[in-house]
Amino acid sequence: MCTLLYQVCVMHVYLGCSPPWKQALLSPGPGEEATQRGHGSKCRAGIGTQIQGRVLFLTVCAAGIGGTFQFGYNLSIINAPTLHIQEFTNETWWARTGWPLPDHLVLLVWSLIVSLYPLGGLFGALLAGPFAIKLGRKKSLLVNNIFVVAAATLFGFSRTAGSFEMIMLGRLLMGISAGVSMNIQPMYLGESAPKEQRGTVAMTSAIFTALGIVMGQVVGLRELLGGPQAWPLLLASCLVPGVLQLASLPLLPESPRYLLIDRGDSATCLAALQRLRGTTEVMVELAELEEERTACQGGRARRPWELFQDGALRRQVISLVVLGSAMELCGNDSIYAYASSVFLEAGIPQEKVQYAIVGTGCCELLTAFISSSFPWMPYLAMSCIFAFILSFGIGPGGIVPLPLCAFPRRLCLWGHLHCFFPP
């Protein structure tokens, strides 16, 4: 590009002095003129690619910091102040009634504080669809931070007010926020990215989740905000990602698909496409969106239960439900909430437990980065499956039949019925 500008400036200076021999000397031949046009188009394409990459990168970061990053962050920060919140609950109850709260009720309150987060996620997931259609993808993510601000306020003043109920309500609100953002963020990014980059952009949701988990574990260290006096600030620190999103996301374009199909605003859609792609040559993509708009006319957004009634979508929906249920019911997320208790029971010294907890988040962050980067990852996954089967054979697979020796011989057949129950 600099060479091209230099040539233009030199030609302008020399042709301004009109001697014919200079004009003849500087006039390019047919082949040279075509070469210059080729260089110019390549330079414009290179600049457009750079602009597209920069805008798309900023869009991914702005959506992710208040989206799946926020989800992972709040999933892990609740682990560090476990003992402090339990002590606060007991002290609050004692101050109110004059009697200490029994240990099993303290554990019940703590379990409610932890479990209200995924319960709020369920409510948030149900709100995500109406939000995305009525407000738009970007505006939904921005409005979603209202829950974050309210939750951070409840967390920050819970100790001053002497109310563990404020913590419970704050966790519920953060769950709603996570449910909304985890559904709208992939939608917004997938509709903003070009076709050839949608797979890569979709992977960023998992990366931001893992990054949020690790960051929450690091901030929860005793040296930072994990001390007995700073845990309200630790819980209220969820406000920081929300503020970052509120400051950055308004500067970026809305989803072009939403602008054209849901709002019917062709001019704004064209401007958003040009800004996201870094070029004015977006008419092909705009035509594809127009075709999709025509195909969607007369339809309406379907409710979740209506998807099962459509034979063309039933198998895809069932696959998503099975995969999502398997991921959530595998117990992986519970590790981040109860890691300190698990490691203490396993014999890890109290002063080293927090560093072991950070190791769990680093493992997920590492796998999120390398899962699609190396060709040997499928073989590593296969090795992990082999290791799981070996551990099953060494453990319950070989031990479960031993108690059958205690059965009377005539009843041993019934003791083997567990083999007929599907997993």
Side-chain angles (χ1 to χ4, degrees):
M1 184 65 182
C2 294
T3 305
L4 182 63
L5 290 174
Y6 174 75
Q7 291 175 353
V8 171
C9 293
V10 170
M11 291 178 65
H12 176 72
V13 171
Y14 271 78
L15 291 177
C17 319
S18 44
W21 63 271
K22 284 188 179 180
Q23 297 185 14
L25 181 64
L26 293 173
S27 298
E32 294 176 352
E33 186 176 357
T35 303
Q36 290 177 1
R37 286 199 301 268
H39 283 309
S41 61
K42 288 181 181 179
C43 291
R44 288 192 296 270
I47 293 174
T49 302
Q50 293 177 359
I51 295 175
Q52 171 187 336
R54 183 165 62 248
V55 174
L56 184 60
F57 175 76
L58 292 175
T59 303
V60 169
C61 292
I65 195 67
T68 52
F69 178 91
Q70 186 80 279
F71 162 70
Y73 186 79
N74 286 277
L75 185 66
S76 62
I77 61 170
I78 197 63
N79 177 72
T82 298
L83 296 178
H84 308 317
I85 293 179
Q86 290 179 356
E87 292 174 358
F88 168 70
T89 302
N90 196 14
E91 293 171 358
T92 301
W93 188 262
W94 200 334
R96 292 177 183 176
T97 64
W99 299 93
L101 195 64
D103 291 342
H104 68 280
L105 292 181
V106 171
L107 184 60
L108 175 62
V109 172
W110 169 247
S111 300
L112 287 174
I113 291 174
V114 173
S115 59
L116 282 173
Y117 185 60
L119 179 62
L122 174 62
F123 296 146
L126 296 176
L127 291 174
F131 272 24
I133 295 173
K134 294 180 180 179
L135 300 178
R137 289 36 161 171
K138 186 179 81 169
K139 189 176 291 185
S140 295
L141 291 174
L142 293 173
V143 171
N144 188 41
N145 286 289
I146 294 176
F147 299 113
V148 177
V149 173
T153 304
L154 291 171
F155 290 146
F157 292 99
S158 59
R159 184 167 184 171
T160 304
S163 173
F164 57 83
E165 294 87 356
M166 294 174 65
I167 302 177
M168 299 170 68
L169 180 57
R171 290 286 290 177
L172 181 66
L173 293 176
M174 284 308 305
I176 296 174
S177 171
V180 171
S181 61
M182 287 187 68
N183 284 274
I184 295 181
Q185 177 192 336
M187 188 188 310
Y188 173 53
L189 296 180
E191 294 174 356
S192 299
K195 289 182 178 179
E196 63 275 9
Q197 296 183 11
R198 285 175 187 170
T200 303
V201 170
M203 285 294 297
T204 60
S205 296
I207 293 175
F208 274 102
T209 300
L211 189 62
I213 289 173
V214 174
M215 187 61 66
Q217 292 169 341
V218 171
V219 174
L221 294 175
R222 283 189 298 270
E223 292 81 359
L224 297 177
L225 296 179
Q229 303 299 323
W231 63 263
L233 294 177
L234 173 63
L235 297 181
S237 62
C238 63
L239 183 63
V240 176
V243 170
L244 291 176
Q245 186 178 69
L246 288 172
S248 58
L249 193 58
L251 305 177
L252 298 164
E254 175 61 278
S255 160
R257 185 184 182 277
Y258 164 76
L259 292 172
L260 183 63
I261 296 178
D262 293 328
R263 285 182 50 185
D265 192 344
S266 301
T268 310
C269 173
L270 178 61
L273 275 175
Q274 291 174 346
R275 189 176 175 196
L276 285 167
R277 304 296 179 259
T279 178
T280 58
E281 300 173 359
V282 294
M283 300 310 297
V284 174
E285 191 170 356
L286 184 62
E288 293 177 355
L289 289 175
E290 287 284 2
E291 292 178 1
E292 185 178 356
R293 178 189 180 186
T294 303
C296 293
Q297 283 181 349
R300 63 175 180 83
R302 299 188 184 183
R303 296 176 176 84
W305 55 85
E306 294 177 344
L307 298 177
F308 291 94
Q309 300 173 2
D310 190 339
L313 297 175
R314 189 178 297 120
R315 296 186 66 179
Q316 294 91 320
V317 174
I318 292 176
S319 299
L320 288 174
V321 170
V322 171
L323 290 173
S325 301
M327 183 180 70
E328 296 302 328
L329 296 176
C330 71
N332 184 70
D333 289 349
S334 64
I335 293 295
Y336 301 117
Y338 299 100
S340 58
S341 303
V342 172
F343 286 137
L344 284 174
E345 291 293 332
I348 304 297
Q350 174 70 42
E351 63 276 6
K352 297 182 180 179
V353 164
Q354 59 177 353
Y355 305 111
I357 293 172
V358 175
T360 61
C362 290
C363 289
E364 182 164 345
L365 180 61
L366 178 64
T367 55
F369 274 111
I370 70 175
S371 59
S372 60
S373 304
F374 299 99
W376 44 263
M377 282 304 296
Y379 300 99
L380 177 60
M382 180 182 65
S383 302
C384 292
I385 293 174
F386 290 163
F388 172 77
I389 296 173
L390 288 172
S391 63
F392 174 79
I394 295 172
I399 295 175
V400 168
L402 294 180
L404 297 178
C405 300
F407 276 74
R409 187 171 297 276
R410 65 181 183 277
L411 298 178
C412 282
L413 175 63
W414 303 109
H416 287 280
L417 286 178
H418 70 89
C419 299
F420 297 99
F421 289 98

